[in-house]
């Protein structure tokens, strides 16, 4: 991967069309049908946000829209649940990493 992170996707799995998203300013591979959370995980991102109260690292927990631990900024809109949002080509994502 061009962003220096590890590609954690399982080889040989049939995927949607390859697209590119911009994560913290870096062009990152993703596939149609993936959520933003899964694309970030697959690209090796481990910290999605910082908790307001204790300034702790946070990342997806439930993966189904309940816990709100996966919030990121997408196309300039803050606090979007990355586990509930599908990637689009050219989407710009910001994490607290
Ligand atoms: S991982 Fe729980 S709301 Fe997204």
């Amino acid at each position: 991967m061009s962003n220096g992170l590890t590609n954690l996707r399982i080889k040989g799995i049939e995927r949607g069309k390859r697209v590119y998203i911009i994560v913290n300013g870096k062009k990152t591979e993703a596939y149609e049908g993936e959520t933003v959370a899964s694309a970030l995980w697959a690209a090796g991102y481990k910290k999605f946000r910082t908790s307001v109260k204790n300034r702790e690292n946070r990342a997806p927990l439930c993966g189904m829209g309940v816990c709100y631990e996966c919030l990121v900024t997408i196309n300039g809109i803050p606090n979007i649940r990355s586990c509930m949002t599908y990637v689009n080509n050219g989407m710009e994502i910001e994490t607290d990493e």
Side-chain angles (χ1 to χ4, degrees):
M1 306 210 51
S2 61
N3 62 9
L5 297 172
T6 304
N7 185 349
L8 299 177
R9 288 183 182 84
I10 299 169
K11 290 181 176 35
I13 300 292
E14 189 173 323
R15 304 183 194 292
K17 180 182 161 195
R18 182 169 50 194
V19 297
Y20 288 96
I21 56 177
I22 309 299
V23 183
N24 302 331
K26 296 176 187 170
K27 186 176 178 183
T28 302
E29 181 180 281
Y31 293 86
E32 287 182 349
E34 289 183 335
T35 64
V36 171
S38 46
L40 293 178
W41 266 331
Y45 288 91
K46 296 182 176 127
K47 176 185 173 187
F48 284 42
R49 69 179 188 93
T50 304
S51 68
V52 174
K53 186 174 180 182
N54 296 325
R55 309 304 301 164
E56 296 171 330
N57 296 343
R58 297 290 189 207
L61 179 63
C62 72
M64 59 184 192
V66 176
C67 72
Y68 286 74
E69 296 291 3
C70 64
L71 299 179
V72 296
T73 298
I74 298 177
N75 293 334
I77 303 171
N79 301 322
I80 304 291
R81 288 175 293 174
S82 60
C83 72
M84 301 300 290
T85 307
Y86 290 107
V87 295
N88 285 314
N89 193 42
M91 179 181 267
E92 295 187 25
I93 299 153
E94 294 173 41
T95 71
D96 286 344
E97 191 160 319

